[in-house]
C-alpha cells in the first residue's frame, strides 16, 4: 500500500518574526545571508507499507494463494470485498507455514493512533492494513521526494516588508534583487568554506604536532574518503618522502602521520635552509616569511579575498541609490557595480591579487589533478584517525 502526497503547500505567506525584524530594520543583505534567495513553498512526500508473505505449500495451489493475497492488497480500508477475499484465502489455502513480514516508511507513529504493524494471522493482517492506512494520513510525514523552491521576491509578506509596490520600477528591483541575492549567497558560501578549511587545517595540525616524533613515525592516518586495504599497512614502510608535492600515492597508499604533517605544514624553508626575502634584497628563490607555511598562505589568501573583494562588494550592495530609491541590492544589477563585477571571484579557489581574482588551477590547467589539492588532502585525512 503506497500513498503519494503531491505539492503539500506550506504557509508560504508567513515569514518568521526574527526574519521580519531583519527586514523591518532595512538589513536586506542580512536577510539574504540568513534566509538565502529562495524558500520552499511545497513538499512532495511518499509513504508506503510493504507486506511480504513467506509460506510453504504442499499443493499446486500456491499460485492461486499468491493471486488472492495480491487481491487483498488492492483494497484500501475496510470493505466487504476485502472481508470476502480474506475469508476465501483462509478457507482455500493449503499452506503448511506462513510468515508475514511487514515493512513501512514515512508513517506517522503518533501516540494517539492505536494499533500494531505485527501480524500473526490473516485476521491480524487485516487490522495491520487498517492501522497502516491511518498512519499514512498525516500530511507532515513521509519521505521527501521533491520540493518546490521559489524566490523570496515573489512572496507577498516579503514584498510588503521590503516596501515594494506594483510599478514597473519595482519589477526591475525584483529582477535585480534575485540576481544580486544569488551572487551574495555564492560569495558568502566561498568565504564560509575557506574559513572552515582554515579552522580544520589548524586543528588537524595541532593534533599531529602534539604527537612525539616516535609516534608520528609508526602511526598511519586513515583516509576517510578512500579506504586503503588493511593488508597494505603491514607491507608499507612509514619512512616516506619529505617532498611538499601532493601525489596520488598520498591517497592510494597508506599515509604516515609524519608525511601528513609535512604536507599540512607545507614548510617552504625546512630547517631554515633557505634565504628569506626582504625589502632591500630579493634574490632568486627567496621565500617570503609570511608565505612560509601552508596555514599562513591560506590565511593570507582568505584575508586578501575578504578585504579586496567580499567586503567591498557587500558594502556597495548596501549603498543607497538616490536616483532609483533604496539600496543597490534592489536598484542596481551586480554587473554594474565595480566592486562586485569580478566574475572570476565567484569561482571556488580563486585568488585575489592586485584588484582582481586569478582563476583557480582546476579552471585553467587541463592537467589539473584533484590529488594535488591541499583542500582535498584536508578533507581526506582531517580530523586524523590513526591506524
Amino acid at each position: 500500500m503506497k500513498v503519494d502526497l503531491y505539492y503539500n503547500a506550506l504557509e508560504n505567506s508567513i515569514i518568521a518574526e526574527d526574519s521580519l525584524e531583519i527586514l523591518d530594520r532595512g538589513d536586506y543583505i542580512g536577510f539574504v545571508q540568513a534566509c538565502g534567495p529562495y524558500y520552499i513553498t511545497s513538499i512532495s512526500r511518499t509513504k508506503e507499507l510493504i507486506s511480504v508473505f513467506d509460506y510453504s505449500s504442499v499443493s499446486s495451489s500456491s499460485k492461486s494463494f499468491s493471486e488472492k493475497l495480491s487481491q487483498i492488497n488492492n483494497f484500501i480500508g475496510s470493505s466487504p470485498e476485502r472481508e470476502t477475499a480474506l475469508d476465501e484465502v483462509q478457507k482455500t489455502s493449503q499452506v503448511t507455514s506462513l510468515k508475514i513480514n511487514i515493512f513501512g516508511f514515512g508513517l506517522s507513529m503518533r501516540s494517539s493512533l492505536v494499533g500494531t504493524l505485527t501480524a500473526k494471522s490473516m485476521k491480524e493482517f487485516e487490522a495491520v492494513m487498517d492501522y497502516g492506512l491511518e498512519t499514512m494520513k498525516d500530511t507532515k510525514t513521509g519521505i521527501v521526494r521533491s520540493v518546490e523552491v521559489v524566490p523570496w521576491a515573489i512572496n507577498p509578506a516579503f514584498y510588503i516588508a521590503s516596501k515594494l509596490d506594483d510599478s514597473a520600477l519595482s519589477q526591475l528591483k525584483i529582477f535585480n534583487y534575485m540576481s544580486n541575492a544569488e551572487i551574495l549567497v555564492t560569495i558568502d558560501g566561498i568565504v564560509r568554506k575557506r574559513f572552515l578549511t582554515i579552522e580544520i587545517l589548524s586543528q588537524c595540525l595541532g593534533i599531529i604536532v602534539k604527537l612525539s616524533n616516535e609516534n608520528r613515525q609508526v602511526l598511519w592516518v586513515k583516509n576517510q574518503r578512500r579506504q586503503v586495504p588493511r593488508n597494505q599497512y603491514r607491507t608499507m614502510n612509514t619512512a616516506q618522502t619529505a617532498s611538499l608535492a601532493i601525489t596520488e600515492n598520498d591517497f592510494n597508499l597508506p599515509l604516515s602521520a609524519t608525511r601528513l604533517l609535512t604536507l599540512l605544514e607545507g614548510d617552504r624553508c625546512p630547517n631554515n635552509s633557505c634565504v628569506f626575502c626582504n625589502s632591500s634584497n630579493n634574490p632568486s628563490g627567496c621565500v617570503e616569511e609570511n608565505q612560509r607555511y601552508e596555514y599562513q598562505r591560506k590565511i593570507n589568501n582568505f584575508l586578501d579575498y575578504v578585504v579586496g573583494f567580499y567586503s567591498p562588494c557587500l558594502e556597495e550592495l548596501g549603498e543607497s541609490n538616490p536616483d532609483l530609491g533604496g539600496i543597490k541590492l534592489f536598484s542596481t544589477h551586480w554587473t554594474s557595480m565595480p566592486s562586485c563585477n569580478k566574475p572570476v571571484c565567484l569561482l571556488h579557489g580563486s585568488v585575489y591579487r592586485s584588484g582582481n581574482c586569478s582563476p583557480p588551477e582546476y579552471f585553467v590547467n587541463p592537467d589539473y589533478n584533484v590529488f594535488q589539492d591541499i583542500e582535498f588532502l584536508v578533507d581526506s585525512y582531517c580530523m586524523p584517525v590513526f591506524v
Side-chain angles (χ1 to χ4, degrees), residues 367-378:
D367 299 323
Y368 169 80
N369 191 332
V370 70
F371 294 116
Q372 302 167 354
D373 192 333
I374 185 67
E375 292 189 13
F376 187 73
L377 182 81
V378 170

Side-chain angles (χ1 to χ4, degrees), residues 348-379:
H348 283 274
S350 59
V351 178
Y352 187 86
R353 290 287 186 274
S354 304
N356 209 335
C357 288
S358 57
E361 188 72 13
Y362 67 82
F363 197 77
V364 295
N365 184 2
D367 299 323
Y368 169 80
N369 191 332
V370 70
F371 294 116
Q372 302 167 354
D373 192 333
I374 185 67
E375 292 189 13
F376 187 73
L377 182 81
V378 170
D379 194 37

Side-chain angles (χ1 to χ4, degrees), residues 92-206:
T92 61
S93 63
Q94 299 184 34
V95 296
T96 56
S97 66
L98 174 63
K99 181 179 179 182
I100 305 175
N101 298 294
I102 299 174
F103 308 91
F105 61 84
L107 309 179
S108 173
M109 297 288 107
R110 298 196 312 271
S111 58
S112 59
L113 294 176
V114 179
T116 179
L117 293 179
T118 302
K120 297 180 180 180
S121 65
M122 293 303 298
K123 192 65 178 176
E124 291 183 3
F125 175 70
E126 181 182 8
V128 167
M129 297 299 287
D130 291 337
Y131 175 66
L133 180 61
E134 291 300 316
T135 65
M136 293 181 174
K137 292 180 178 179
D138 190 343
T139 59
K140 295 182 179 180
T141 65
I143 305 298
V144 176
R145 301 297 295 269
S146 63
V147 295
E148 182 184 7
V149 179
V150 297
W152 279 112
I154 67 172
N155 181 285
F158 176 85
Y159 207 81
I160 295 171
S162 301
K163 301 176 179 61
L164 297 171
D165 53 45
D166 294 327
S167 66
L169 181 59
S170 283
Q171 298 305 311
L172 175 62
K173 288 182 177 181
I174 290 174
F175 171 76
N176 289 332
Y177 172 81
M178 292 170 60
S179 299
N180 294 338
E182 284 278 3
I183 298 303
L184 180 53
V185 169
T186 298
I187 61 178
D188 237 23
I190 291 174
V191 169
R192 291 179 184 179
K193 177 70 166 62
R194 293 186 182 188
F195 180 81
L196 181 61
T197 298
I198 291 171
E199 184 66 20
I200 294 175
L201 174 60
S202 173
Q203 295 183 25
C204 194
L205 271 170

Side-chain angles (χ1 to χ4, degrees), residues 60-80:
S60 60
S61 63
S62 59
K63 182 177 180 181
S64 175
F65 181 69
S66 299
E67 292 174 348
K68 291 172 181 176
L69 287 176
S70 299
Q71 291 175 3
I72 294 174
N73 289 330
N74 290 332
F75 299 114
I76 298 178
S78 299
S79 65

